[in-house]
Amino acid sequence: MASAFAELEEYVNSLDDKGLKELDQIIDPELNSLWLPDPDNEPQTQAYYSKADLMLFGGSPGGGKSDLLVGLALTQHLRSVIFRAQAVDLRALEERILAIAGRDGWNGADKILRKNGKILELSHLAKPGAELSHQGRARDFIGFDEGAQLAKAKVSFVMGWLRSVVPTQRRRVVIASNPPTGGEGEWLCEWFAPWVDDKFADPAKPGELRWAVTAPDRDATTVWLKEGHPVFFETDREYRKATQEEIDEEHPRVCQPLTRTFIPSMLKDNPYLAKSGYRAQLQALPEPLRSQLLNGDFMAGRADHEWQVIPTAWVKEAQSRWTPRPPDNAAMTAIGVDVAQGGADQSTLACRHGPWYAELVSKPGVETPKPSDVAGMVVTYRRNSATVIVDMGGGYGGGVSERLTENEISVVKYNGANESNAKTNDDAKLGFVNKRAEIHWRFREALDPDQDGGSLIALPPDPQVLADLTAPRWKLTTRGIQIESKEDLKKPERLGRSPDKGDAVVMAWSEGEKALIKKMKSKPVKVPVEHYIEGAQGWMG
């Protein structure tokens, strides 16, 4: 820090009178600002300068959330409103506004501050229909304090009036909140899934900008995009890139993506409260409230879907057992191969060494357009004459199987649509609608920690593996257990992509288990360390 200050001092001393005058003009607005973020509170400073259109800020009490809302409204915007759930909750915000801006221009009855050409209003959304009173009232800044206490529908309605008649005025929404502790705030976990949902397939870093639109369906589903180009919704869920003509004519089914981000702010980030003893108060709370508020964990205490095939806790336990190399240098026993030739899906290999899985290997379908490309991946990573299970669904696996067979590699052909005669291992002895249902259920049974001896499965700590394995749901039909199809999982309101890694994992277990049993009847094969190859995905046997 001293070095940085010395460099700044040297720079200032090097300026002539004209340069010093220009520097004064640049820094004068901030020097005379009513409020600036605490330089010792890095998350608050990052949030103040963030370019996101919609931001979630917070995580645990005491991180400077309310101060950020008030500070942004007083310094960066012309027409602002900050909401709380109840009218009584506005008292702390009112006190903070008066402490920063003074009473000049404050109307206590209406809770409106008019100062220096700016308007800041405090309001609440407690009563039914309270959001309707804000219809048509343009604001360029909308803040929600403790957003988890508010209903999604009310927040969405109010956000519809974010606008400004001043072309150069920035518009943004900031939701300051602790993690949800009740049903109302669960929508935050969907709106900011890349940051707060540990099952989201493509996690984002704090402060990273992601593009998103809201689908025109009944549930107002969030759809995550790779870029900011407008999209055209052909149905309530299906979309494509909008044409310039559709954009120019302002077609009602064209949606303009906006950026979102989440910046976590914890008690430790607030230098004024971090040493006040408040942390001890949070540590005394019962779980899951303790983790929610102390650690800012938005997912703590959330329950799995009642029809989820594999419990999230079981997958996490398997990931906690994982080590960078297989125990005792165990031999490779099976490879599950999910094939993608072109398109947005990925060709994926799941390599098993007994109950231990190596880090999965994936390549975009556009990089594996030919069967020989996928076959080459298998040849590169296969060891110890491991059984190769190739997914034949979709018609892509046939060519891969032929290429491998030509190279004298034995292949097990898997098709999830095939009939299954198997039964569940419990007393119910339920059947399965097809092979896809069977292999997912078999993996569920293998992960069950209450089975004799517990589960030994060790999975790499890959968020996509967690997401893929915990996404499928099941239902009981007259034909037996039916698992959600891959096509249903690819819909925007579900996983939003193909569960390539999850499918490769369960294939390697269910079909590869037979090969493992055969190997266990013979003398175990030990693989010398020098036989390992280190690739882009980590250690693979």
Side-chain angles (χ1 to χ4, degrees), residues 146-365:
E146 294 304 338
Q149 299 176 4
L150 301 170
K152 174 183 176 181
K154 291 186 176 183
V155 171
S156 298
F157 183 88
V158 171
M159 285 172 53
W161 308 105
L162 182 71
R163 59 188 183 184
S164 176
V165 296
V166 181
T168 58
Q169 175 57 49
R170 181 184 173 181
R171 302 172 296 279
R172 65 175 150 189
V173 176
V174 176
I175 303 173
S177 185
N178 296 325
T181 56
E184 288 286 28
E186 292 296 305
W187 55 273
L188 284 174
C189 298
E190 178 206 347
W191 280 22
F192 300 94
W195 297 270
V196 305
D197 189 344
D198 56 8
K199 293 192 289 184
F200 192 78
D202 185 19
K205 298 178 181 179
E208 178 183 345
L209 301 184
R210 289 286 179 92
W211 293 101
V213 294
T214 300
D217 61 350
R218 183 177 60 183
D219 298 325
T221 305
T222 297
V223 177
W224 299 98
L225 305 173
K226 295 295 185 182
E227 59 180 2
H229 191 282
V231 295
F232 184 96
F233 278 89
E234 296 182 315
T235 68
D236 285 351
R237 300 282 176 86
E238 298 175 343
Y239 64 92
R240 58 169 171 78
K241 194 172 183 178
T243 65
Q244 191 59 50
E245 181 180 357
E246 291 165 342
I247 297 172
D248 293 340
E249 71 178 22
E250 298 182 352
H251 195 286
R253 298 198 73 85
V254 171
C255 290
Q256 172 64 55
L258 296 174
T259 54
R260 299 186 188 184
T261 197
F262 168 54
I263 298 177
S265 179
M266 313 300 287
L267 174 62
K268 63 181 176 59
D269 297 313
N270 189 333
Y272 300 104
L273 283 178
K275 300 178 180 179
S276 67
Y278 184 44
R279 182 179 181 83
Q281 297 296 325
L282 298 180
Q283 289 174 326
L285 295 172
E287 291 289 5
L289 191 59
R290 181 180 187 273
S291 292
Q292 288 172 329
L293 298 185
L294 183 61
N295 304 323
D297 190 346
F298 277 75
M299 303 304 292
R302 295 191 81 203
D304 286 344
H305 190 277
E306 59 180 330
W307 296 107
Q308 184 171 310
V309 178
I310 301 175
T312 302
W314 294 4
V315 179
K316 288 185 174 181
E317 287 175 16
Q319 291 184 320
S320 69
R321 288 189 288 268
W322 191 80
T323 54
R325 299 186 186 182
D328 300 323
N329 291 334
M332 184 182 295
T333 55
I335 303 180
V337 184
D338 193 80
V339 182
Q341 293 177 207
D345 297 347
Q346 300 211 12
S347 291
T348 302
L349 306 183
C351 301
R352 269 189 64 198
H353 298 245
W356 181 91
Y357 280 80
E359 291 183 278
L360 275 71
V361 181
S362 295
K363 284 188 178 182

Side-chain angles (χ1 to χ4, degrees), residues 310 357 439-440 443 469 502-511:
I310 301 175
Y357 280 80
I439 69 167
H440 277 79
F443 198 67
L469 292 175
D503 283 357
V505 165
V506 297
M507 278 193 295
W509 182 265
S510 181
E511 300 303 317

Side-chain angles (χ1 to χ4, degrees), residues 293-457:
L293 298 185
L294 183 61
N295 304 323
D297 190 346
F298 277 75
M299 303 304 292
R302 295 191 81 203
D304 286 344
H305 190 277
E306 59 180 330
W307 296 107
Q308 184 171 310
V309 178
I310 301 175
T312 302
W314 294 4
V315 179
K316 288 185 174 181
E317 287 175 16
Q319 291 184 320
S320 69
R321 288 189 288 268
W322 191 80
T323 54
R325 299 186 186 182
D328 300 323
N329 291 334
M332 184 182 295
T333 55
I335 303 180
V337 184
D338 193 80
V339 182
Q341 293 177 207
D345 297 347
Q346 300 211 12
S347 291
T348 302
L349 306 183
C351 301
R352 269 189 64 198
H353 298 245
W356 181 91
Y357 280 80
E359 291 183 278
L360 275 71
V361 181
S362 295
K363 284 188 178 182
V366 293
E367 296 182 15
T368 57
K370 298 179 295 185
S372 57
D373 296 322
V374 182
M377 291 175 61
V378 175
V379 172
T380 300
Y381 287 95
R382 181 173 179 256
R383 296 291 183 273
N384 314 118
S385 301
T387 300
V388 179
I389 305 100
V390 178
D391 186 1
M392 308 299 287
Y396 295 125
V400 176
S401 177
E402 290 179 8
R403 298 292 88 77
L404 291 172
T405 302
E406 290 171 358
N407 285 274
E408 300 182 350
I409 295 177
S410 179
V411 173
V412 174
K413 297 180 180 180
Y414 161 80
N415 190 329
N418 285 348
E419 182 181 358
S420 170
N421 296 316
K423 302 290 183 181
T424 59
N425 288 332
D426 54 24
D427 294 337
K429 298 300 180 185
L430 300 173
F432 302 100
V433 168
N434 53 27
K435 195 69 174 176
R436 174 175 172 80
E438 178 192 335
I439 69 167
H440 277 79
W441 205 265
R442 287 287 180 251
F443 198 67
R444 169 196 166 94
E445 292 173 338
L447 286 171
D448 188 348
D450 292 331
Q451 62 182 297
D452 291 342
S455 177
L456 298 178
I457 292 178

